[in-house]
Amino acid sequence: MTALAAPAREAAAARRTRAELATDGVVVVVVVAVLLAGLSTDRFVSVANAKAILTSASLVGVCALGLTLIMIGGSAVSLAISQTVAAVGMVFLSAQSLGLVPALLLAVVVGALVTGVQGAVVGHAGANPVVLTIAASFAIAGVATGVTDGVSVSPSGTGYDHLNATPAGLPLSVYVLVALTLGVEWTLRRTGFGRSLYLVGENRRAARAAGLAVGRTTTLAWLGAGALFAVTAAFTAAFNTSANVNLGGTLTFDAIAAVLAGGTPITGGRGSAVRTFLGAVLIAAVSDILLLRGYSTGVQVLVKGLIVLGVVVLVHLRTRSRQA
């Protein structure tokens, strides 16, 4: 029996290796194709353009880090990111009379609570996260519109302008993205919460049977995600110097694209903050190339969708080869 099993294991390992090599090869081809397209695009290779790519990646990237926590925990995605960012951006600007730090803290608390409540329902009551966050997006937008009468919120002070600083020529949001990426990666790899989150995402039922606090772990992941959404909201509101219900724009789908492009599967259990950072830069670089080549916004959205679709297929094939 053992003698027969050994060749079978070796054959399965060989199949996995071939499948993983194939998917890795496709990823390398895509990255090389993007680099070649960039090098052949006028004005792509310049310091100013590199700053523009990093700036674009920073706002989406911080948001995507929060979504990474949700996806690793096996809670699929949140479809209420744009509305949360818009509402929290309004809170941040309207609280500027308190000073920058209190306004930022208030925004983080509001973002964490709004998203954390959704996480508690998902983690403790087993609600479908997609359906729940669609409902939450309508509720958040409705409350924000009702409170402001649909009028844009202007800052009540000038402290927000510090977020538009450019130390050493780079926007402050880029430094924040790098710092938060390292912080989230450390949390995922070095803390008990991080290890529990991977186990919950890998197999929720097994994690519960093993005695892990599934509901609490899921809620904490969503609380952290909400705090990161709030950071994006503060920078976005500061950049625009006003906020309304449309402030979040396409952030929900941009963040999903960045996380998936980084290779984090929507089924949970795997992924990393560093990969999400690279995914955000890749998506920003592709958008930049298309913009420099004069393609319309519609084409940019279409290409991002195709990239996400390709990554999802690759991740699925790789996961299936591991399970074979």
Side-chain angles (χ1 to χ4, degrees), residues 182-323:
L182 296 175
V184 173
E185 185 71 18
W186 181 86
T187 301
L188 288 171
R189 302 294 175 188
R190 300 292 182 182
T191 67
F193 162 73
R195 288 188 286 271
S196 296
L197 190 63
Y198 279 109
L199 292 173
V200 170
E202 184 73 29
N203 191 323
R204 187 173 293 257
R205 184 175 299 177
R208 187 173 283 112
L212 292 179
V214 174
R216 186 177 66 189
T217 302
T218 302
T219 303
L220 287 175
W222 285 65
L223 280 169
L228 291 166
F229 297 162
V231 174
T232 294
F235 275 101
T236 306
F239 179 77
N240 287 281
T241 67
S242 67
N244 56 36
V245 289
N246 298 316
L247 180 69
T250 59
L251 262 176
T252 296
F253 297 108
D254 290 341
I256 292 173
V259 178
L260 292 176
T264 297
I266 202 166
T267 52
R270 288 184 289 114
S272 76
V274 173
R275 293 172 72 109
T276 293
F277 172 85
L278 296 175
V281 173
L282 175 65
I283 293 295
V286 170
S287 295
D288 181 74
I289 291 170
L290 295 172
L291 185 65
L292 290 175
R293 286 176 174 265
Y295 288 103
S296 65
T297 303
V299 173
Q300 295 176 41
V301 173
L302 174 64
V303 172
K304 283 192 282 188
L306 291 175
I307 291 175
V308 170
L309 176 63
V311 171
V312 169
V313 171
L314 287 174
V315 170
H316 172 72
L317 292 175
R318 194 175 181 121
T319 302
R320 196 173 66 172
S321 72
R322 285 178 175 174
Q323 294 172 344

Side-chain angles (χ1 to χ4, degrees), residues 36-79:
L36 291 177
L39 293 174
S40 63
T41 301
D42 187 34
R43 293 178 293 158
F44 180 80
V45 184
S46 68
V47 174
N49 193 52
K51 291 179 180 178
I53 292 174
L54 289 174
T55 302
S56 176
S58 62
L59 297 178
V60 174
V62 173
C63 215
L65 288 175
L67 186 60
T68 302
L69 295 175
I70 291 175
M71 288 177 65
I72 288 177
S75 299
V77 298
S78 168
L79 296 180

Side-chain angles (χ1 to χ4, degrees), residues 43-123:
R43 293 178 293 158
F44 180 80
V45 184
S46 68
V47 174
N49 193 52
K51 291 179 180 178
I53 292 174
L54 289 174
T55 302
S56 176
S58 62
L59 297 178
V60 174
V62 173
C63 215
L65 288 175
L67 186 60
T68 302
L69 295 175
I70 291 175
M71 288 177 65
I72 288 177
S75 299
V77 298
S78 168
L79 296 180
I81 296 175
S82 295
Q83 291 74 16
T84 303
V85 166
V88 175
M90 294 178 192
V91 172
F92 173 71
L93 289 183
S94 62
Q96 285 302 300
S97 57
L98 303 174
L100 175 61
V101 174
L104 194 54
L105 290 175
L106 179 62
V108 169
V109 169
V110 172
L113 286 178
V114 168
T115 308
V117 168
Q118 299 167 55
V121 177
V122 172

Side-chain angles (χ1 to χ4, degrees), residues 131-155:
V131 176
L132 177 69
T133 55
I134 288 175
S137 68
F138 282 109
I140 294 167
V143 171
T145 302
V147 171
T148 63
D149 289 330
V151 177
S152 294
V153 174
S154 298

